[in-house]
Each structure stands twice: as structure tokens, then as C-alpha cells.
Amino acid sequence: MANIQRMRKTAIIDLGTNTFNLLVVEGNTRLYKTKIAVKLGEGGINKGYIAEAAFKRGFEALKKHLQTIENYRVDRTLAFATSAIRSAINGADFVLKVKTELGLHIEVIDGDKEAELIYFGVQQALDLGDSNNLIMDIGGGSTEFVICNKKEIFWKQSFQLGAARLLEHFQPKDPITSTEVNSIEVYLENILTPLWVALKKFPCDVLVGSSGSFDTLSEVIAHQFYNISILKGKTNYDFKLSDYNWLHDYILKSNLEKRLKTPGMIPMRADMIVISSIFINYILERKQIQSMKLSTYALKEGVLKTLS
């Protein structure tokens, strides 16, 4: 009898600012995925360090992920750290402790590489077509923008405008006030100058949000207007802007307690979703974008593509 060769199992860990995400695949087959909330930026992100409690949460999350990886008998594990770790003065300490005590090597990637990997992930989730798309990935520490079509990237940049970073910077009231919303928009306007310049050169009609906050928005909308089953097994989703506009208004008027009780709202995102929605809405209105899509694939899936 001929030997049947087992496909190689790969685990990818995306050490984001809000969550540490794990994906396990065998060949091209997704075996398992999960995420653990770590809020690595809590208490220190705008001071440039990982606070003690967040440091411990991140370390413990990786211990859990590595146990899962062991259970799946994975052949290789790749770990990538993004904004919170790369911008923290003790980020290297975290990487060293993980290497020394857990035996896991973490590659700290810059914002440019992060944006590129996000593009590769989105590219597999939906047909980007021949026209220009604006990909937006809101993390906890940074937000990546990519102007692209299905074939190539025309422009990309990472900005220190993550939801956790903005939330800690502005510390808005609950519910947020219109004055605070305006202050956030003025702040975005100034920092995003390179994006406005790029969009003049490469106009986009479609905003593609990759995972994170966009996942949460789609789940709340599905619960509110449709059925959660419309998202099951899908790698992308087309938002109706009327649905999003309703939800944006709801988010701005709600307090944390109300958001936590909202069907589809992930508890970890209930505070940051206010900032994220203001950010998304500002991009849509500032550039008069008429179409918004979700990609459930992002960095992890982008890494997979680079391996194939």
C-alpha cells in the first residue's frame, strides 16, 4: 500500500494590540482559529510601554495558544507582533521572555509589512476587481490603509491611530459628546494628510474593512436587521450603508452598558467600537465613498499566502 503523506500543519499567531489571534491550518485547510483578548495597550500605549497587567495577560494568552498548538501536533509555528509590541520600550523584553520561557520566536514587523500582509489576506477573501479599493484595518495600536486592486498595491501606510490608542488619548465621556466627536475628527484630518494625498492620486469608490471592528459591525447588523446565519462560512460581506448609518448613530448615542447588551457586540470591543465607528464614518464621508465591504481575512491569512 502506498504511503499517504500527511500535509504539513502550520500555526500562525498574530499578536495584535487588542487580541492574540491563532490560526491552525493543514495545507490549505483551516483546522482551527481562535482569539484571546489581551488589551496589550491598556494603561501604557500612549506612554510607550506595555503595562505590567497587560504584559502578564499577553504572556498567559501565548501559553494557552501554545497548548492548543501542541494538541494539534503542529509542524511549524509562526508568530508576528504588531503595533503595541513594536512601539513599546519594553516590547523587546516581552519578545525575549516569550523566547526564553516558552520557546516561541516572535517576529516584530513594521507597519509597512503589516499593511502588505493585510492586503494578501484580503486578496483571498474577496474579488478586489480592477478598480481601486481602500483597505482599512483598525487595530488597537495602529490602523493600516492600502490602496489596491486585485493585482497590485498602489500605496500603503500604517498610522499610529489604533482604537485603543485613540481611546486612551481622548478618554471621551460615555455616551460620547458631539464636541468630542468633532475633536477626534480634527485629529484624524491632520494626521491622515498622506492618505488624502494618495486618494487624490488613486481615487477609491470602495472601502474594504478587514476583520476586527468591521467584524463586530457586521455581526450587530446581522442580529439587528437579518440573521446571524448570513455571515456563517463567509469570507466577505457587503454592507448596506443605510444599515451602517443606523448603527453608527446608535453607537454614538449609547453608553457602555447598553452596548454590552447589544446582540452581536463582542464585549472586548464595546468601548473601542465608538472610536472605530467615528473613524470609519469619517473616511466614508470625507471621501464620499458609496460602498463598504468586510473581509474576514487579514494578517494571518496574508502570512499563509506568503508561505504557499
Side-chain angles (χ1 to χ4, degrees):
M1 182 183 292
N3 289 328
I4 299 175
Q5 188 173 5
R6 181 174 69 85
M7 296 292 287
R8 196 177 193 191
K9 290 182 183 176
T10 302
I12 298 168
I13 305 173
D14 170 10
L15 287 79
T17 302
N18 292 327
T19 57
F20 283 3
N21 307 279
L22 170 65
L23 174 64
V24 180
V25 298
E26 185 172 16
N28 292 319
T29 304
R30 297 159 71 93
L31 300 179
Y32 182 76
K33 74 170 186 173
T34 190
K35 63 179 66 175
I36 299 174
V38 293
K39 290 200 170 182
L40 212 57
E42 190 171 69
I45 193 165
N46 289 325
K47 299 169 186 172
Y49 69 90
I50 303 168
E52 185 177 352
F55 195 106
K56 184 176 180 180
R57 282 197 301 271
F59 186 80
E60 292 301 316
L62 285 178
K63 284 173 67 175
K64 290 180 183 177
H65 279 333
L66 288 173
Q67 183 59 58
T68 300
I69 288 167
E70 186 177 331
N71 293 343
Y72 274 92
R73 299 173 63 194
V74 165
D75 299 294
R76 60 178 171 178
T77 299
L78 304 169
F80 299 86
T82 56
S83 180
I85 292 175
R86 70 173 171 247
S87 63
I89 55 173
N90 57 342
D93 296 336
F94 184 86
V95 171
L96 180 61
K97 180 178 174 69
V98 169
K99 177 67 174 177
T100 304
E101 299 186 24
L102 301 181
L104 175 67
H105 170 71
I106 297 171
E107 181 180 344
V108 182
I109 60 175
D110 62 23
D112 200 56
K113 181 67 173 178
E114 185 177 357
E116 180 181 61
L117 290 173
I118 289 165
Y119 167 71
F120 288 146
V122 172
Q123 198 181 37
Q124 299 170 76
L126 70 155
D127 182 4
L128 291 167
D130 297 316
S131 301
N132 295 347
N133 300 264
L134 176 62
I135 295 174
M136 180 182 191
D137 187 294
I138 306 173
S142 65
T143 293
E144 283 65 49
F145 286 100
V146 183
I147 300 176
C148 60
N149 62 17
K150 67 181 179 183
K151 296 177 182 176
E152 60 184 315
I153 294 173
F154 301 110
W155 176 89
K156 62 185 184 298
Q157 188 165 330
S158 177
F159 294 87
Q160 294 282 70
L161 292 172
R165 197 181 295 277
L166 289 169
L167 186 65
E168 189 165 301
H169 177 76
F170 285 97
Q171 297 185 12
K173 295 181 175 64
D174 186 36
I176 195 168
T177 67
S178 57
T179 301
E180 289 170 328
V181 172
N182 184 64
S183 296
I184 292 167
E185 290 178 344
V186 169
Y187 186 77
L188 294 174
E189 176 66 27
N190 293 330
I191 292 182
L192 291 174
T193 297
L195 174 62
W196 311 139
V197 172
L199 285 169
K200 279 187 178 179
K201 186 175 182 181
F202 305 106
C204 297
D205 296 322
V206 180
L207 178 67
V208 181
S210 59
S211 61
S213 299
F214 290 91
D215 276 334
T216 301
L217 294 174
S218 68
E219 289 183 25
V220 174
I221 285 171
H223 278 283
Q224 178 66 31
F225 297 108
Y226 310 103
N227 187 291
I228 194 63
S229 63
I230 67 169
L231 301 174
K232 295 298 182 185
K234 301 282 184 66
T235 61
N236 60 79
Y237 174 72
D238 286 3
F239 288 93
K240 285 184 180 177
L241 287 186
S242 58
D243 293 346
Y244 169 69
N245 290 336
W246 173 88
L247 181 53
H248 177 62
D249 187 61
Y250 171 86
I251 288 169
L252 293 189
K253 291 177 180 177
S254 65
N255 59 19
L256 180 60
E257 182 181 5
K258 186 174 182 179
R259 292 193 298 276
L260 284 168
K261 293 176 181 176
T262 301
M265 181 67 67
I266 299 170
M268 183 207 70
R269 297 198 188 280
D271 55 352
M272 285 177 278
I273 199 68
V274 179
I275 296 288
S276 295
S277 195
I278 291 168
F279 202 167
I280 294 164
N281 186 68
Y282 191 63
I283 297 296
L284 290 172
E285 291 193 343
R286 175 70 163 73
K287 300 312 296 180
Q288 297 184 316
I289 292 173
Q290 299 301 313
S291 178
M292 184 165 78
K293 302 175 183 288
L294 161 72
S295 164
T296 63
Y297 288 2
L299 187 144
K300 301 185 302 301
E301 291 79 11
V303 170
L304 271 181
K305 183 169 183 182
T306 67
L307 300 176
S308 59

